Amino acid sequence: MTPLDEVRALVLSHCIRGPVVSLPLMDARGLVLAEPVVSAENVPPFANTAVDGYAVRASDVAHVPVELRVIDEVAAGAVAQLPVSEGTAIRIMTGAPIPDGCDAIVMVEDTERVGDDGVRILKSVPVTSGIRDAGSDVEAGAVVFEPGVIVTPMVEGVLSSINARTVPVVWRPRVGVISTGDELVDDGSPLQKGQIRESNRKMLLRLVDESGAEAIDLGIIRDNEEDLEDTLRKATSRGMVDALITSGGVSMGDYDVVKAVLGRIAEMHWFQIAMKPAKPFAFGTMPGVGETMVPIFGLPGNPVSSLMSFELIARPAIRTMMGMPHAFRPRVTAIVDEDVNRGVDGKTHFDRVHASWRSDGRVHVRRTGPQGSHQLASTAVANAIMAVPDGTGVKAGDEVTVTFLGPDAGPVAG
Ligand code: AMP
Ligand code: MG
């Protein structure tokens, strides 16, 4: 058996960062900026008011209360027609450009309307109060983002604010997903004896999407060597995919056709990883278009094993291909709240747990249910994976290493 870290190091060494592409902003979601982004524009583009109120001369309101004549009104998107002069004010709404002649804004809460065209100012304000300068968010000519920044919704907001129509990012690899097995049924028809519903492919397609890559559904392949070889060759030689994930057929069974086919057409490494679940795992490369090599992740078919080898190996590899500054999920030291007994077998056991912050400021975990490699239902409601090192187990109160699953799977108070 090979330790997980060794397997991962080998896999990651073959999964290099992909090319830089220039994409329309709307297509760059979740990708990594590959070059510094310099703003051509000031944000905000002009000085404007941060509050609803009155544009005044600070010297006119040095002694309060004082009454000023309201000579104009300006909303966001409009421009005042008159300058503010001594003894006058202009009613102004948030985001409207600062009128000429004024040097401060008094919040509407600090005023009282007097008749049709007057306002009583109740509070003095210093010069520049309430004014947002042009370029006070982003200055024209400045570097807004360095390479390595991920295009999050917030970054997308900033890039929109500076009119970045296209952005240089590390590619979004297309990852093909194939399920293998004669027993798999996907069309809703009644199950014949020996058949099961296909589930891994759907889960893996979504996991690929969630990792930020683009999932390509290559369907279910029966345990038939020609069909599998044909599908793999087509997908790679026609440039349909930049990486491949197969589910099933990599263990010791007689019908493990993935093993037979990949052994023939790809440069493969076959592993028995020192972990439970997901001991069997395969990784390799096969030629793609031109000089490219397509990484192949051969995941075991048991649903929990499939998930675990995706999470612990394939996902960090895909994220490395995407140039992610953090290819791995967040990991913390947590407290386990129950005894977890196990036997010595040379493996790290990865149990699925619910993790939550407690009032002691620590993350606490508990297993979500049965831990068999086919029992996806209890795994599906876990928000983290707990590593139980080889040995006889851990006791309630012990510290364990926990890896969070998914962006919304952070600990919740409880
Ligand atoms: P295998 O790795 O092909 O030997 O499969 C191991 C176990 O996982 C068997 O019980 C399979 O029926 C099951 N399995 C394989 N592929 C899938 C799949 N795509 N969806 C659900 N279960 C699967
Ligand atoms: Mg199979």
Side-chain angles (χ1 to χ4, degrees), residues 292-378:
T292 61
M293 292 303 277
V294 177
I296 304 171
F297 304 90
L299 314 187
N302 274 309
V304 177
S305 305
S306 240
L307 167 69
M308 299 301 268
S309 34
F310 180 87
E311 275 294 329
L312 296 171
I313 307 169
R315 187 179 194 277
I318 292 168
R319 306 263 300 168
T320 300
M321 293 169 75
M322 297 175 70
M324 288 288 164
H326 309 289
F328 291 91
R329 298 270 200 202
R331 238 184 312 188
V332 299
T333 301
I335 311 276
V336 59
D337 281 348
E338 61 185 340
D339 290 352
V340 176
N341 299 317
R342 52 158 292 176
V344 176
D345 59 8
K347 300 177 195 167
T348 302
H349 290 193
F350 289 103
D351 285 8
R352 282 76 65 202
V353 294
H354 184 261
S356 57
W357 296 104
R358 290 289 159 76
S359 48
D360 60 359
R362 301 292 305 262
V363 174
H364 289 245
V365 297
R366 248 175 209 288
R367 289 177 299 178
T368 49
Q371 299 288 318
S373 62
H374 66 295
Q375 289 168 311
L376 187 61
S378 61

Side-chain angles (χ1 to χ4, degrees), residues 180-181 183 223 248-249 256:
T180 65
E183 73 278 32
D223 288 324
D256 288 338

Side-chain angles (χ1 to χ4, degrees), residues 103-153:
D103 57 14
I105 312 294
V106 180
M107 288 172 74
V108 70
E109 291 86 338
D110 298 326
T111 67
E112 278 168 10
R113 198 78 204 200
V114 181
D116 280 348
D117 63 352
V119 63
R120 185 175 298 117
I121 306 295
L122 304 174
K123 201 170 156 192
S124 295
V125 286
V127 169
T128 75
S129 181
I131 296 177
R132 304 190 284 211
D133 286 334
S136 55
D137 184 12
V138 179
E139 232 174 302
V143 173
V144 193
F145 296 122
E146 298 287 350
V149 167
I150 298 171
V151 182
T152 60

Side-chain angles (χ1 to χ4, degrees), residues 132-392:
R132 304 190 284 211
D133 286 334
S136 55
D137 184 12
V138 179
E139 232 174 302
V143 173
V144 193
F145 296 122
E146 298 287 350
V149 167
I150 298 171
V151 182
T152 60
M154 297 69 81
V155 168
E156 237 177 283
V158 174
L159 292 171
S160 301
S161 78
I162 65 169
N163 196 32
R165 316 288 297 181
T166 60
V167 284
V169 286
V170 183
W171 72 339
R172 191 187 306 282
R174 293 155 307 159
V175 180
V177 177
I178 301 177
S179 264
T180 65
D182 282 342
E183 73 278 32
L184 304 176
V185 172
D186 191 31
D187 60 3
S189 59
L191 294 178
Q192 306 300 314
K193 194 148 184 131
Q195 295 184 324
I196 62 166
R197 306 282 178 200
E198 199 285 326
S199 57
N200 289 351
R201 192 173 101 261
K202 276 81 125 205
M203 173 179 74
L204 290 166
L205 287 166
R206 293 293 175 254
L207 287 168
V208 167
D209 278 335
E210 192 272 334
S211 78
E214 181 185 346
I216 309 285
D217 186 0
L218 298 176
I220 301 175
I221 310 292
R222 299 294 151 202
D223 288 324
N224 167 313
E225 293 193 20
E226 284 96 276
D227 288 356
L228 180 60
E229 177 165 347
D230 197 46
T231 302
L232 293 174
R233 283 200 190 278
K234 272 189 191 141
T236 48
S237 66
R238 293 180 186 172
M240 289 162 62
V241 298
D242 305 302
L244 274 168
I245 292 177
T246 63
S247 137
V250 294
S251 55
M252 301 297 195
D254 286 345
Y255 297 94
D256 288 338
V257 299
V258 175
K259 205 159 187 177
V261 171
L262 287 181
R264 203 162 54 231
I265 67 172
E267 194 76 42
M268 295 301 293
H269 303 263
W270 305 95
F271 295 106
Q272 297 293 315
I273 308 179
M275 70 184 207
K276 184 183 174 180
K279 184 169 74 146
F281 176 77
F283 175 76
T285 52
M286 85 181 260
V289 174
E291 299 291 287
T292 61
M293 292 303 277
V294 177
I296 304 171
F297 304 90
L299 314 187
N302 274 309
V304 177
S305 305
S306 240
L307 167 69
M308 299 301 268
S309 34
F310 180 87
E311 275 294 329
L312 296 171
I313 307 169
R315 187 179 194 277
I318 292 168
R319 306 263 300 168
T320 300
M321 293 169 75
M322 297 175 70
M324 288 288 164
H326 309 289
F328 291 91
R329 298 270 200 202
R331 238 184 312 188
V332 299
T333 301
I335 311 276
V336 59
D337 281 348
E338 61 185 340
D339 290 352
V340 176
N341 299 317
R342 52 158 292 176
V344 176
D345 59 8
K347 300 177 195 167
T348 302
H349 290 193
F350 289 103
D351 285 8
R352 282 76 65 202
V353 294
H354 184 261
S356 57
W357 296 104
R358 290 289 159 76
S359 48
D360 60 359
R362 301 292 305 262
V363 174
H364 289 245
V365 297
R366 248 175 209 288
R367 289 177 299 178
T368 49
Q371 299 288 318
S373 62
H374 66 295
Q375 289 168 311
L376 187 61
S378 61
T379 288
V381 295
N383 65 0
I385 304 169
M386 163 177 71
V388 184
D390 192 22
T392 55

